[in-house]
Amino acid sequence: MSADVNVVIVGGGLAGVACAKRLAGKPGMRVELIDRAGFQQFQPLLYQVATAELTSKDVRFDLDRLFRHHPSVNVRKDDVTAIDPGAMTVTLASGDTLTADHLVLAAGAQPNFFETPGAREHAFPLYSVEDALRVRGRVLTVFQDVAANPALVDEGALNFVIVGGGPTGVETSGALAELVHDVMPGVHHDVPCAEAQIILVDGGPTLLSAFSHESGDYAARQLKHRGVLLHLGTRVQEVTPESVTLADGTVIKTRLVVWGGGEKAADIAAASGLTAGHGGRIQVEPDLSVAGHPHVYAIGDVANIPYGDEAALPQLGSVAQQSGRWVADNIVAQSRGEAPQPFHYRDKGIMAMIGTKAAVAEIGPHRHEIHGRFAFAAWLGVHLELLSDMGSKIHSYVTWAEEFYLRPNHRSAKLLDPTRIDTPAINWDEDS
Ligand SMILES: Cc1cc2nc3c(=O)[nH]c(=O)nc-3n(C[C@H](O)[C@H](O)[C@H](O)COP(=O)(O)OP(=O)(O)OC[C@H]3O[C@@H](n4cnc5c(N)ncnc54)[C@H](O)[C@@H]3O)c2cc1C
């Protein structure tokens, strides 16, 4: 290889980091890794931050630090405002324009509110560390306010609504139920915690629709066992500052609606002008390049990746990580004059952690179904692999995960202190 090959990666999440790590140290490869946050947010554990299990630092990985030993990777904390796939340029909010030999779009996803009135303004999504801290701050503030004024229970203060019966909604409901029913009574003796209600709402008839019926039923049983109320088969019609209205006419008074109801591609996907598929995701070829642009790739959650009989692979950490590594190899191949290869995905299965001693997993392409501690072991294995790109903390995660699975009611006092989070006060007189 003679001259340097310039690779610009937009997004430092699981996909972008995996790609940059694979290219780091490859002779002749120079990488610009651009991320607006400057750190990677490990989304699979955000609900643990939201429910005071983990600190924000546990799920946030500084990109500069991650690549400090890789001089061929330059990390830029900046916002990509425009992409020109024809000219192979990327424009940054700071005003710089970068030109690439290979462009990798790995900008991830964002919540999809499906134009539900009030949802964008009043619901709490769970897609970033900031979102998770907002949820935790709101839960803790509600308890603090009820301790000062128990009459707020009649205003729905202790009703927590989770929208979405997929893995995010199921995991969040389970963890929140354990927080409010098992942990909070020991913190706020003056709050009637037994009156707290976690209500999970989904438009479909079952939970975990991507899983088998048996797994969905198992999740439902486990959540009910933890006191979660399931409101299935009806969609959210409107969210206001103090209530949720469902399509069947039910009105639930609440001050916290967690939105796990769907996602769509990051805004930059539409701005790139590239062909979009389902959820606004960039449509890619089997080798992960964009049709007509052999040096432009899209990976992870921002991409619609066709695979075998499936119209697209699901938005999963393993898909993001593996597609990132695959594209790095394709770029190296192209720079040697070789043809890029179709993506081969090693299916790790799908899984969800429902709560203490309750997890569900469907492993491998044949979706072998397991529950309980075997599913927990599978969950842990997959998450440790995802975390392997993030550096050294593997041992502490194993310890934490075992604690969480076996003895979840331990919380650090710091994580239960609302004053440590910058949370806006709740206006209890609000009238929408
Ligand atoms: C709550 C939640 C729980 C999940 N749980 C699991 C799980 O248990 N198991 C599993 O396998 N998967 C899980 N997932 C899915 C998994 O986290 C994603 O598939 C994966 O993170 C996608 O990686 P990515 O790199 O494509 O996107 P992301 O990780 O979202 O990274 C995208 C990056 O791009 C940056 N960015 C976006 N736009 C711009 C721009 N214009 N300029 C600069 N930077 C930009 C963002 O700052 C971000 O860092 C979960 C997702 C969520 C939301």
Side-chain angles (χ1 to χ4, degrees), residues 186-308:
V187 180
H188 284 291
H189 305 285
D190 33 11
V191 171
C193 295
E195 291 184 38
Q197 294 198 315
I198 315 292
I199 304 146
L200 192 160
V201 180
D202 193 285
T206 55
L207 295 178
L208 298 177
S209 61
F211 293 59
S212 66
H213 279 305
E214 288 74 16
S215 295
D217 289 347
Y218 172 79
R221 278 197 309 278
Q222 290 294 335
L223 288 181
K224 283 182 189 164
H225 177 67
R226 286 163 176 75
V228 176
L229 303 174
L230 302 181
H231 212 114
L232 303 178
T234 184
R235 298 179 69 81
V236 171
Q237 200 167 55
E238 187 181 12
V239 184
T240 74
E242 75 273 11
S243 69
V244 170
T245 303
L246 307 184
D248 66 4
T250 308
V251 178
I252 305 168
K253 288 184 181 178
T254 177
R255 296 298 171 139
L256 176 62
V257 178
V258 180
W259 193 268
E263 62 174 49
K264 59 182 180 180
D267 284 339
I268 201 69
S272 70
L274 294 167
T275 306
H278 187 65
R281 290 182 274 272
I282 298 168
Q283 199 62 40
V284 294
E285 300 287 292
D287 66 2
L288 304 173
S289 69
V290 178
H293 300 280
H295 299 282
V296 178
Y297 290 95
I299 53 177
D301 279 8
V302 82
N304 244 356
I305 304 176
Y307 201 74

Side-chain angles (χ1 to χ4, degrees), residues 77-96:
K77 182 172 182 288
D78 213 329
D79 210 325
V80 173
T81 52
I83 291 172
D84 184 339
M88 296 293 283
T89 57
V90 160
T91 307
L92 309 181
S94 58
D96 288 352

